[in-house]
Amino acid sequence: MSTELENPHYPRWLKDAIFYEVYPQSFRDSNGDGIGDLPGVIEKLDYIRSLGCDTVWLNPFYASPFRDAGYDVTDHYAVAERYGCMEDVIRLFEEAHRRGMRVVLDLVPGHTAELHPWFQASAKHERNEYSDYYIWTDSVLTLGETDLRMIAGDVEREGAHAINFFSHQPALNYGYAHPDPNCSWQQATHAPGPTAVRAELNRLMRFWLEQGCDGFRVDMAHSLIKGGGNQAAMHELWAEVRAWMDIDFPDAVLLAEWGKPAEAIQAGFHMDFMIHFGTSAYTSLFRKQWGFSFSLNPYGCSFFDRSGRGNIREFVDVFEREYAGSRGKGFVSLPTGNHDVAPRLADGRDAEDLKVAYAFLLTMPGIPTIYYGDEIGMKGVQGLPSKEGGYIRTMVRTPMQWDASEQAGFSEAAQSAFYLPLEERADRPDVATQMSQPDSLLHCVRQLIALRRAMPALGNEADYRTLFAEPGQVPYVYLRSNQEQRVIVAINPTAQIASVSLSTSIVNLERAELVMGVGELKFEADASVLTLPSVSFGIWCLT
């Protein structure tokens, strides 16, 4: 029987997609200046494909002063010189497509750099065509009548302007869903200024799609329209984008940085990353000790922690809701991490811990996303000074480690010229070494991806059902299934042996084949008892 949905709301290639995020300045330097570049990405496409990943999400390469690592754009149509040129971008698209791969670009629609020509014109005293491209109050003294962060007194225009993140990132004006009548400067979403900004957004998206990109990951996708109660207005904005994309570029995708997949997909996106904001569910898996005090509740650790003090329900309760709200319409993505998520997945974990984490990440429904270097267990470098606005995030943006040489195969430049320093630990992981070790994390990741692709029940579209997930208990057990196949996955990240009795009325494991991992099954009259050793996982196909 067919495994495909009859009327999917997304391009069909997403049903098999596995993403790999590339932070270009830290991936591979091809010209010896110490900074990764686009030819370096092209050079490593075969490696990415060898993992089983078929889609590259590329962080910004646009012209920028790099006060926020390229998320402060001065020209959306130009390539920053340090990365290469437009011909390199086109060649990247072509080389990826020749390999059956796709490239998704980072889109930064909510703000620009303060050095962008639009803002420089908008900040002028005289009215001009860009005056309403950004959000301005009517006085430099108007700072307290808005819930936005405002900057005043640094330009000649009478007014304060809104910022989205850093002080040098003025917010573009997509309007207010419900303008406050007491704030005459708040413009409606279809006022001339916001309408012109929408037109610019559509123009630049169309430009890159015509060059050959396969879609966009949209930075801060939920925040463009300001003011409370803006959900309907945000849906309208992205519905307009989807309307022309679906006609002119039906295979192109929209991925959201929203943090609430069911909401983002309802708004018109094909996929949303369930990450560290919007909900604490993602943080509860791997990084809870970084964001929550142990004293606040008895389950103060991440679920993927050997202590067994994690609470899988913190994740499952939210995931089940987001999964149900997006099923058949789009996808949830549970990434290994990204350029904004600190620390890396490997922090505080060894290779065996990481194999269990990957067994989870690569058997869940939705679209897997691997952040460069996570597949070999890179930890990054803690305690670094901020680089290009990275601050605490700087630790997860260090150079990719390709081999065991002094420069790790990243660059021919002296290490002193590197964009960021390499890890200095004696057991620093690298691709070449792990390729030669059959039991390495890298090989485990490749095997899990190959298994996912070989088993329809583990596919992006296949169903998910929780079988056992209790606070403070392990294992976490779930069923993946489609019309052709059923697969049981059991996860035990703790240092203790984990055992669970599953009623045969829920699932009968008597005819189960272990296809990867470890575990023992015993059968009683009305139950199947599943036991896992410490720090392990098991994947069974029900025959």
Side-chain angles (χ1 to χ4, degrees):
M1 301 177 72
S2 173
T3 63
E4 295 190 355
L5 300 176
E6 292 184 2
N7 296 298
H9 296 254
Y10 41 82
R12 294 307 299 144
W13 62 268
L14 282 178
K15 72 184 182 69
D16 299 313
I18 298 178
F19 282 71
Y20 188 90
E21 182 188 353
V22 170
Y23 193 68
Q25 52 267 60
S26 293
F27 196 59
R28 166 64 181 149
D29 169 27
S30 70
N31 62 5
D33 66 356
I35 302 175
D37 47 44
L38 293 170
V41 177
I42 296 170
E43 181 183 324
K44 297 299 184 179
L45 285 175
D46 286 335
Y47 164 75
I48 296 171
R49 190 174 70 163
S50 77
L51 291 174
C53 299
D54 57 8
T55 307
V56 174
W57 159 25
L58 192 63
N59 293 124
F61 54 72
Y62 316 111
S64 170
F66 294 105
R67 296 182 67 189
D68 187 21
Y71 285 89
D72 48 334
V73 180
T74 53
D75 187 343
H76 295 88
Y77 302 93
V79 179
E81 184 177 354
R82 74 186 196 182
Y83 296 128
C85 59
M86 184 62 73
E87 288 73 18
D88 293 321
V89 179
I90 303 302
R91 188 162 67 91
L92 172 59
F93 297 155
E94 292 173 346
E95 289 295 325
H97 295 161
R98 188 170 65 82
R99 291 166 170 81
M101 302 173 70
R102 291 176 169 84
V103 180
V104 170
L105 302 185
D106 227 317
L107 179 68
V108 189
H111 53 262
T112 67
E114 63 185 1
L115 297 178
H116 197 294
W118 297 346
F119 184 73
Q120 294 295 301
S122 188
K124 298 290 186 183
H125 172 72
E126 299 82 7
R127 291 283 300 174
N128 58 71
E129 65 177 304
Y130 299 106
S131 294
D132 293 329
Y133 267 45
Y134 297 83
I135 300 172
W136 293 91
T137 68
D138 52 12
S139 168
V140 294
L141 302 179
T142 306
L143 295 173
E145 300 176 19
T146 173
D147 57 357
L148 297 177
R149 297 166 62 203
M150 311 297 289
I151 298 292
D154 57 349
V155 296
E156 68 180 45
R157 178 170 176 165
E158 175 68 36
H161 67 269
I163 59 171
N164 268 350
F165 196 55
F166 290 135
S167 62
H168 53 80
Q169 292 171 313
L172 284 161
N173 183 17
Y174 290 86
Y176 279 73
H178 305 285
D180 185 341
N182 296 316
C183 298
S184 59
W185 48 270
Q186 292 185 5
Q187 299 181 0
T189 56
H190 291 287
T195 298
V197 172
R198 287 195 195 204
E200 294 282 8
L201 172 64
N202 291 334
R203 188 176 302 119
L204 73 91
M205 291 178 70
R206 186 177 292 275
F207 172 83
W208 286 110
L209 289 167
E210 288 174 346
Q211 305 312 307
C213 88
D214 297 288
F216 304 93
R217 174 266 188 185
V218 182
D219 184 64
M220 298 178 65
H222 62 288
S223 67
L224 303 190
I225 293 172
K226 306 303 184 184
N230 66 350
Q231 187 173 11
M234 288 300 306
H235 289 197
E236 180 190 12
L237 186 156
W238 291 114
E240 290 178 3
V241 172
R242 275 290 300 275
W244 64 261
M245 282 183 64
D246 287 349
I247 294 172
D248 297 343
F249 303 94
D251 280 338
V253 297
L254 274 179
L255 318 178
E257 184 193 35
W258 198 294
K260 297 181 178 179
E263 186 175 307
I265 289 164
Q266 184 182 357
F269 288 86
H270 299 110
M271 184 185 93
D272 183 29
F273 297 94
M274 188 172 164
I275 48 176
H276 59 299
F277 60 80
T279 172
S280 62
Y282 179 76
T283 301
S284 75
L285 290 170
F286 306 113
R287 300 170 178 87
K288 183 166 185 176
Q289 53 266 52
W290 279 72
F292 297 84
S293 168
F294 283 3
S295 64
L296 294 181
N297 64 66
Y299 307 110
C301 281
S302 306
F303 175 71
F304 284 87
D305 187 276
R306 292 198 178 199
S307 70
R309 293 177 61 212
N311 179 2
I312 190 60
R313 294 307 316 185
E314 292 180 301
F315 166 75
V316 169
D317 290 344
V318 176
F319 176 79
E320 288 181 337
R321 181 182 69 239
E322 300 297 338
Y323 172 71
S326 59
R327 174 82 176 112
K329 305 169 188 175
F331 296 97
V332 179
S333 180
L334 296 170
T336 64
N338 69 27
H339 60 289
D340 285 333
V341 178
R344 276 188 180 264
L345 184 66
D347 189 84
R349 299 182 177 93
D350 65 18
E352 298 309 306
D353 297 314
L354 292 170
K355 289 175 183 178
V356 178
Y358 267 107
F360 161 75
L361 290 166
L362 294 173
T363 59
M364 287 292 284
I367 299 178
T369 302
I370 296 174
Y371 183 49
Y372 84 96
D374 279 353
E375 73 275 16
I376 58 172
M378 280 180 56
K379 295 184 178 180
V381 181
Q382 295 190 19
L384 292 175
S386 180
K387 177 75 171 185
E388 297 184 351
Y391 296 95
I392 191 173
R393 304 169 299 174
T394 304
M395 72 168 78
V396 305
R397 301 177 177 184
T398 57
M400 180 67 173
Q401 294 156 190
W402 294 104
D403 60 38
S405 66
E406 181 179 355
Q407 290 133 314
F410 167 69
S411 173
E412 297 302 317
Q415 285 197 41
S416 59
F418 279 20
Y419 174 77
L420 284 169
L422 295 164
E423 295 180 15
E424 295 183 349
R425 56 189 171 118
D427 60 345
R428 180 176 77 193
D430 67 82
V431 171
T433 298
Q434 292 198 15
M435 286 288 285
S436 68
Q437 298 170 337
D439 64 343
S440 68
L441 175 62
L442 178 60
H443 276 295
C444 180
V445 171
R446 295 175 70 182
Q447 290 163 8
L448 283 164
I449 292 177
L451 184 68
R452 183 183 184 93
R453 292 197 177 281
M455 303 191 74
L458 292 178
N460 299 357
E461 292 180 326
D463 288 328
Y464 164 93
R465 179 186 175 191
T466 303
L467 297 182
F468 185 82
E470 295 297 327
Q473 298 185 43
V474 287
Y476 169 35
V477 187
Y478 48 93
L479 173 70
R480 299 294 316 283
S481 63
N482 68 351
Q483 294 173 319
E484 301 175 4
Q485 189 179 62
R486 293 188 302 157
V487 173
I488 297 287
V489 180
I491 302 292
N492 178 21
T494 75
Q496 294 79 42
I497 295 173
S499 185
V500 64
S501 179
L502 300 173
S503 170
T504 54
S505 65
I506 298 175
V507 60
N508 189 345
L509 298 177
E510 193 165 0
R511 298 182 60 188
E513 176 190 359
L514 184 68
V515 294
M516 190 169 178
V518 296
E520 179 181 338
L521 295 176
K522 291 184 179 180
F523 310 104
E524 300 174 352
D526 57 356
S528 301
V529 179
L530 186 157
T531 302
L532 289 180
S534 63
V535 191
S536 68
F537 67 90
I539 303 172
W540 288 267
C541 181
L542 304 186
T543 59

